[in-house]
Amino acid sequence: MTSDLRRQVAQLLVVRGSGHWSDGQRRYPRWELPNAELHRLLDAGVGGVILLGGSAAELRLRTDQLRRWADGPLLLCADVEEGVGQRFEGASWLVPPLAVGRLHDRDPQRAAALAERYGRCTGRQARLLGLNWVLGPVCDVNNNPANPVINVRAWGEDPATAGALAAAFVRGCQGAGVLACAKHFPGHGDTSTDSHLELPLLPHSRARLEVVELPPFRAAIAAGVAAVMTAHLQLPALDPERPATLSAAVLEGLLRRDLGFSGLVVTDALVMEAIAGRHGPSEAAVLAFAAGADLILMPGDANAAIDGLVAALESGRLPMERLERSLGRRAAALARLGPAPLEPVDVALDGLVSAEEQALSRELLELSLELGGTPDTLPAAKALISTPVPLAPSPALPAGPGINLIRLDTALTCPFLPAMAPALLRPTAAGYGACLLEGRSPSPWSGDPQAPLALERLPAGPVLLQLFVRGNPFRGSAGGDEPWPAALAQLLAAGRLAGLAVYGSPYLWEQLRPLVPAGIPAAFSPGQMPQAQALLLERLGLAAAALEGGFTD
């Protein structure tokens, strides 16, 4: 009995694996299991894997491998909220959802059509690469610009926008033959802390939740979303003791009874500090399952989680009917899927990024690009949000030599800034040498609030300022804690600001744009990927060279 029970329980776990083929390529070995352990767990019945890293071709080989290792049908998923190329090079990497959300106010029909195409692109490419579950859309309403972890991942800053576009994404994604997942229930948008690092508190009443946080989830459920992911949040109005992931009042009461959701409920990753800092892997899994979760995502220790759940079921702490219901929901979700792709790898990859998907990526970038710095470009920038009118070029950068000052979180894990990135190459060709400001380098800040940049540490010459800023998990802030308005004023006062490029955060752009005087080129793109850099820098007068890039390393 215990052996059979362990295999049944194991089906409800989703463990983390690298998208890379070999153990030595794992980017995050703290969370990504080595191949021998992953093989053993899948053979023992573990029913799901969440993947990160590698190229599109490697992912296709990897998902085929995992299916061969598994004892039964697998749920294979990834956090590809911004297209499969966000995590797996070679697939489509799209602008963050909030860029589409900002179009919705002016042209809701076009925004909804784009969101559905976005979902269809993501779902089709996921399926071709062997994934069958997309961990999106984000249904959180990002009504707090300082939100460090949701931010531009949200589809909207108000409930109507977030709901309409999340539902459109669900229709597109699931129409392509994979499952979607609405997250993070009941809403992580109005927080100023990151649940990867600590437990956020959402102090709102149930009445407020009904108005702001819940409508996008209702819309996604009405669109038939297959799964809902929990949020690691404390909501005293619903449960004064336990966070949403561990709360029956939230999962069984609010989500299942009040919102009528009958699909899969999956926890957010249980290794996140909001949960792992308070409960061990065994107890966290038991509490989440008791609260109403069907699937346990990324327990800190898969074996301990299985042991804890088996013991709780055998002792009667958890009723066996709960296990039966969750296994039934998992089976029903798998039954919604088409068969796994059978095409050979080369055939599948040949049609991975279709012409329509290439056009979608370009259209999203064009629609969300903004220029600033001269009065005559501002109306064109605004008009572009609702009509595809080409933007006039911004004023050109002054001739070098100068400094290409690039701000990013870290240079060590930065997929949008490879050695051949346009943000590096194009300014270099114009005589602007790259200088990186990032978390592991000596601080660029002087401590003087009026002149925060330590300019004496930089070479002389005009400065092209390129700021890569957005909310990201584990960062702890959305970049608003850095004094960029004062730094911009300092560069202007010194006569050294040559141009400004902001990638990612519309909130930072909205702060800085009014400070840029006429005649100085400035531009914003919500995307940070090389394609976004190329388009933005082209508008600043930095076109690609005939052959961009070096001959060899």
Side-chain angles (χ1 to χ4, degrees):
M1 171 64 179
T2 299
S3 175
D4 291 342
L5 182 60
R6 288 188 67 84
R7 299 191 79 82
Q8 289 181 312
V9 166
Q11 290 182 50
L12 304 180
L13 266 62
V14 181
V15 297
R16 172 78 168 261
S18 172
H20 289 291
W21 191 259
S22 68
D23 286 344
Q25 294 174 287
R26 289 180 296 160
R27 295 182 186 174
Y28 306 99
R30 176 181 172 188
W31 297 311
E32 292 166 354
L33 298 174
N35 279 331
E37 178 67 1
L38 190 55
H39 192 170
R40 187 192 68 77
L41 286 169
L42 292 177
D43 187 57
V46 163
V49 182
I50 177 172
L51 292 153
L52 174 65
S55 66
E58 196 171 13
L59 177 65
R60 175 57 195 269
L61 293 169
R62 182 67 155 159
T63 54
D64 286 349
Q65 178 190 57
L66 295 175
R67 283 191 169 92
R68 290 195 302 272
W69 287 353
D71 179 60
L74 274 182
L75 286 167
L76 293 169
C77 61
D79 279 309
V80 286
E81 302 157 357
E82 298 168 27
V84 178
Q86 178 192 14
R87 306 293 186 193
F88 306 99
E89 187 177 1
S92 294
W93 188 353
L94 305 175
V95 299
L98 193 61
V100 186
R102 291 202 155 196
L103 170 65
H104 186 265
D105 284 346
R106 298 170 178 84
D107 193 341
Q109 288 186 328
R110 187 174 189 188
L114 285 168
E116 187 163 344
R117 288 169 61 195
Y118 195 125
R120 185 165 62 248
C121 170
T122 304
R124 191 188 77 88
Q125 292 183 12
R127 187 173 180 277
L128 281 175
L129 298 180
L131 301 173
N132 55 17
W133 189 17
V134 167
L135 298 184
V138 169
C139 287
D140 308 307
V141 178
N142 197 71
N143 57 352
N144 180 355
N147 192 312
V149 64
I150 302 302
N151 209 264
V152 296
R153 300 163 61 200
W155 282 95
E157 296 158 298
D158 64 84
T161 298
L165 300 186
F169 178 95
V170 168
R171 290 191 294 271
C173 184
Q174 294 191 163
V178 300
L179 307 176
C181 180
K183 62 188 188 184
H184 307 81
F185 187 81
H188 205 319
D190 195 12
T191 63
S192 55
T193 52
D194 180 0
S195 48
H196 293 82
L197 304 173
E198 55 188 306
L199 179 64
L201 174 69
L202 200 63
H204 303 311
S205 67
R206 171 64 188 267
R208 149 61 195 252
L209 295 176
E210 286 288 351
V211 173
V212 177
E213 278 76 19
L214 296 181
F217 289 97
R218 291 186 185 276
I221 291 168
V225 72
V228 170
M229 180 182 286
T230 69
H232 301 332
L233 298 169
Q234 192 79 50
L235 296 106
L238 300 181
D239 190 329
E241 296 181 1
R242 289 182 174 164
T245 295
L246 310 181
S247 171
V250 174
L251 304 187
E252 291 289 356
L254 180 57
L255 179 56
R256 292 229 185 265
R257 184 190 64 230
D258 297 351
L259 271 64
F261 181 64
S262 59
L264 279 172
V265 175
V266 57
T267 70
D268 204 346
L270 293 187
V271 295
M272 293 161 61
E273 278 301 305
I275 300 297
R278 290 162 175 79
H279 304 282
S282 173
E283 185 66 4
V286 171
L287 290 173
F289 195 70
D294 299 303
L295 301 181
I296 307 300
L297 176 65
M298 286 180 63
D301 181 327
N303 296 303
I306 295 171
D307 290 342
L309 288 165
V310 168
L313 288 161
E314 288 184 329
S315 70
R317 180 183 174 188
L318 292 173
M320 287 292 180
E321 307 88 80
R322 272 287 294 113
L323 176 63
E324 293 165 6
R325 286 199 298 271
S326 291
L327 288 171
R329 291 185 189 114
R330 181 181 182 274
L334 285 165
R336 295 177 62 168
L337 297 167
L342 300 176
E343 305 95 332
V345 173
D346 56 346
V347 173
L349 293 175
D350 184 55
L352 178 61
V353 181
S354 69
E356 194 273 340
E357 289 160 354
Q358 291 180 44
L360 170 65
S361 181
R362 176 78 182 192
E363 183 179 359
L364 288 169
L365 284 167
E366 291 274 7
L367 280 169
S368 51
L369 181 72
E370 287 191 46
L371 299 181
T374 62
D376 58 329
T377 62
L378 299 185
K382 291 178 181 175
L384 187 68
I385 299 300
S386 56
T387 57
V389 178
L391 282 175
S394 178
L397 288 171
I403 306 161
N404 176 21
L405 196 58
I406 300 176
R407 181 265 178 226
L408 61 159
D409 289 337
T410 174
L412 297 182
T413 52
C414 193
F416 57 79
L417 203 71
M420 298 295 109
L424 293 170
L425 293 186
R426 294 192 182 185
T428 298
Y432 284 75
C435 179
L436 302 185
L437 303 183
E438 53 102 33
R440 290 175 171 84
S441 297
S443 172
W445 306 115
S446 67
D448 180 349
Q450 301 303 314
L453 276 177
L455 291 180
E456 69 278 3
R457 301 177 194 169
L458 299 177
V463 176
L464 168 61
L465 196 58
Q466 297 198 77
L467 306 179
F468 290 85
V469 175
R470 56 168 282 177
N472 274 316
F474 292 103
R475 189 169 179 274
S477 85
D481 53 334
E482 297 171 338
W484 288 112
L488 202 68
Q490 178 188 2
L491 288 169
L492 286 167
R496 296 189 61 184
L497 183 65
L500 171 68
V502 176
Y503 305 92
S505 172
Y507 307 114
L508 180 62
W509 171 246
E510 287 158 2
Q511 274 188 293
L512 299 183
R513 181 177 177 177
L515 306 179
V516 181
I520 292 183
F524 164 73
S525 174
Q528 296 184 328
M529 67 288 283
Q531 186 183 9
Q533 299 165 30
L535 183 61
L536 184 152
L537 292 170
E538 180 182 318
R539 298 296 165 81
L540 296 190
L542 295 177
L547 289 174
E548 196 163 74
F551 174 69
T552 181
D553 289 340

